[in-house]
Amino acid sequence: NIINYLYKQRFAFLLSFSCICMKNLTCFVCFVCMCVCYFCLFVVGIVMVSSVKRWVGMGVGTGGNILLRASLNKARAAKLRGLLLVGTNAKKMGWFEYMAYNVGVLQLPYNKVVNEQLEGMLIDHYFSNSTIMHNVDKIHSIREHLRTHVHPMNLYAFMTATMRRSDLMGRLTKEKPKAHILLISGGDSIHLSNIENLNGALDSSKTSYLKLNKCGNLVTEEKPMDVHRAFVLFLQGINLGVSAVLKMNRLFQNDFTRIDES
């Protein structure tokens, strides 16, 4: 509903979360093609060919990294109005982290489910220690999702591409995105220093930075209301139609009410 409403207002609110494909997408070739063509089809296809005049991108983790790259491309950034980036790291993966993940990733093609070692590393990556220790039900549901809904070959393709990403910081020192950016990180994120370095590399006159305490990388899951409030204020700040923002606010409030009731 939110997407449809913003589109009627002549905006494209493109969501690029770092999500893993569902279990029924077992075809490795299809998954790789989807990763390669995703932004070509949506950012170039929709933005340039359709009647969309302006668009706002929101990316979490890897999705934010991809959106940053799109914002440095003149063709893709021509109609870009703003970026909402959550837990986005613009540096390439270090050797120590690469080797630590690679041990679990290399086992994925031979497993029927995500192995426990990689499962634990992903949870440590996304959530703070406070959430892991005290919100047992949430962590248990995430583990169950990884075991039952994530196909190992899809995760292998996603992780391999993410681990081999090129460094974006060097490019950002030479050219800056022209769009307004809201960068959000968790105070307990394992990539906090890299995210803060990214904030320093961006144009300070067009970038807002928000750090939420007692959160890991996935602040949208740990403090959704705080993130929602920041999103609404950011959209208002870039002169997004007030009616669209208010409508989105009511839709989000209704979603959170249903979550609380359940």
Side-chain angles (χ1 to χ4, degrees), residues 18 60-62 86-89 93 97 101 118-129 132 158-159 162 165 188-191 195 215-219 222:
S18 56
V60 179
T62 301
V86 178
T88 297
N89 181 7
M93 185 173 286
E97 185 181 11
Y101 273 105
L118 186 58
E119 178 185 293
M121 293 185 68
L122 290 173
I123 289 176
D124 290 338
H125 171 80
Y126 283 116
F127 297 99
S128 64
N129 290 331
I132 294 174
F158 175 82
M159 291 295 298
T162 301
R165 66 182 183 271
D188 295 334
S189 171
I190 60 177
H191 295 299
I195 297 172
C215 286
N217 244 26
L218 202 60
V219 295
E222 295 185 89

Side-chain angles (χ1 to χ4, degrees), residues 29-224:
V29 176
C30 290
F31 178 77
V32 173
C33 290
M34 184 190 68
C35 290
V36 174
C37 297
Y38 182 84
F39 270 83
C40 178
L41 292 173
F42 282 83
V43 178
V44 179
I46 293 178
V47 175
M48 297 183 66
V49 178
S50 73
S51 60
V52 172
K53 294 182 178 179
R54 291 167 290 180
W55 62 280
V56 177
M58 183 174 74
V60 179
T62 301
N65 188 291
I66 296 172
L67 282 174
L68 266 179
R69 296 174 190 273
S71 70
L72 297 176
N73 182 288
K74 291 183 179 180
R76 299 179 183 181
K79 301 178 182 181
L80 176 61
R81 189 67 177 276
L83 291 179
L84 303 134
L85 306 178
V86 178
T88 297
N89 181 7
K91 292 183 69 65
K92 67 178 182 180
M93 185 173 286
W95 277 107
F96 181 80
E97 185 181 11
Y98 180 89
M99 294 304 296
Y101 273 105
N102 208 35
V103 173
V105 170
L106 289 176
Q107 299 177 26
L108 288 173
Y110 309 100
N111 296 339
K112 294 183 179 180
V113 295
V114 179
N115 56 73
E116 293 185 4
Q117 178 189 2
L118 186 58
E119 178 185 293
M121 293 185 68
L122 290 173
I123 289 176
D124 290 338
H125 171 80
Y126 283 116
F127 297 99
S128 64
N129 290 331
S130 176
T131 299
I132 294 174
M133 293 178 62
H134 300 108
N135 200 333
V136 179
D137 292 337
K138 180 185 293 294
I139 300 302
H140 177 72
S141 66
I142 297 296
R143 290 184 183 276
E144 284 297 313
H145 176 79
L146 287 171
R147 293 168 184 168
T148 59
H149 291 86
V150 177
H151 195 280
M153 284 300 295
N154 292 343
L155 182 58
Y156 172 79
F158 175 82
M159 291 295 298
T160 300
T162 301
M163 291 162 59
R164 294 177 180 175
R165 66 182 183 271
S166 61
D167 189 89
L168 194 58
M169 289 295 292
R171 189 177 174 186
L172 287 171
T173 58
K174 299 177 182 179
E175 53 181 325
K176 312 290 184 183
K178 296 182 179 180
H180 291 273
I181 296 175
L182 172 62
L183 180 62
I184 302 179
S185 71
D188 295 334
S189 171
I190 60 177
H191 295 299
L192 179 60
S193 60
N194 290 336
I195 297 172
E196 291 180 338
N197 289 337
L198 171 61
N199 177 55
L202 296 171
D203 186 350
S204 59
S205 64
K206 294 185 176 182
T207 305
S208 300
Y209 176 59
L210 174 64
K211 182 171 70 174
L212 298 175
N213 294 325
K214 296 182 179 180
C215 286
N217 244 26
L218 202 60
V219 295
T220 50
E221 183 72 21
E222 295 185 89
K223 291 190 176 180

